[in-house]
Amino acid sequence: MNVRAVADLSPAERRALFERDAGIEAVRGDVEGIVDRVRREGDVAVREFAEEFDGVAVGNLDITDEAARAHAELEDADDPVLEAVREAADNVRAFHERQRPEDWRESFEGRELGRRFRPIDRAGVYVPGGAAAYPSSALMGVIPAVVAGVDHVSVATPPADDPNPVTLAAIHEAGADAVYQVGGAQAIAALAYGTETVTTVEKVVGPGNKWVTAAKAIVQGDVEIDFLAGPSEVLVLADGTADPEYVAAELLAQAEHDPNASVVAVTDDADLAAAVAKAVEAGVEERERAETIRSALESDASGVLHARSMSEAVLFTEEYAAEHLSIMADDDEALLDRISNAGSVFLGAHSPVAAGDYAAGPNHVLPTNGGAKRYGGLSVDTFLRSSTVQRLDRDALADLSETITTLAEAEGLEAHAESVRKRFE
């Protein structure tokens, strides 16, 4: 990787770094056709798409019992992978339980006012996979919904001739109520509109490829979604005290996700920048997914950047609004205080992004493409609705009556004003 100066970036280079593209427009037309067919034809379309896209002839779409069996078999075998899943689930659950808000009521000069929180009834979680294993995505999607109190949590995961037992066991461990072997855009459509087998939901969440993301964009409005996420990304903000090998390890780890992943390091120390670039180059061929990593590193959206000062580096970091922000610096807390735009922040040399990906506790379903400027990651809040409560006694209404009637009449809503006066006749 070459080191570039932040101050010398061209407009085109800045666009590549700051305007990361999820790529959904390129497939939107095809996805609209998939969504429409699933909406009209239900299970028939889902099965046809499974054979076309996944190469799997699906019989029973509902594999809830199969997930339970996979969990039981791993448990009977005393499989260490299940123990890892359980420990991660416990940590994720404990963190999300701290997010549950409390209902409250308070008195405001005779007005009893409050707010209460209630879960949605049905949520759908997309878990990428098929033959691959993504148990962490199952935990991150299902557990917040269960903690929030959602009555029915459905999971859709791509079909495979031999579904991965670890992913199925994780879905069961997380507490899902139903599991369906359906993937891609057709899974999002099935959750949004329902089929003969798949129960319709009120909100669809979870990560996926551009086909999944495009489908979420299309069904949005008919159901709620979490957000539209693109390829994974990391930004490491570092000063001269950082270990270049640790910084390089973060870039390499994130790059192995996807050829379109964005990996960036920015520092005010020229020697560190050069050392990071060298360490990245040296580490690529040692990794099993070297080809994927190389593609991500060669992207215009990736690079090692040298800033003239830490203030310039912080300004760049704020504009970038990373999905994952790693801060490796002497005074990381002071830098954190200056940054608002980040999906999840990892402080210090011993807080790799992988810890958050799997087992630390916070959620790994996070905004990408600068979305951290506008919203946060998946949480218990994602599955809650709030409503306000108010009770006024006669004296409290009397105190407000003139204000209410004056404003109502100013808006031409005479019956509103009369609804107050009526109570004092």
Side-chain angles (χ1 to χ4, degrees), residues 49-66:
F49 287 133
E51 193 150 6
E52 179 179 353
F53 299 134
D54 302 300
V56 178
V58 174
N60 189 5
L61 292 172
D62 188 329
I63 56 169
T64 309
D65 291 343
E66 190 171 337

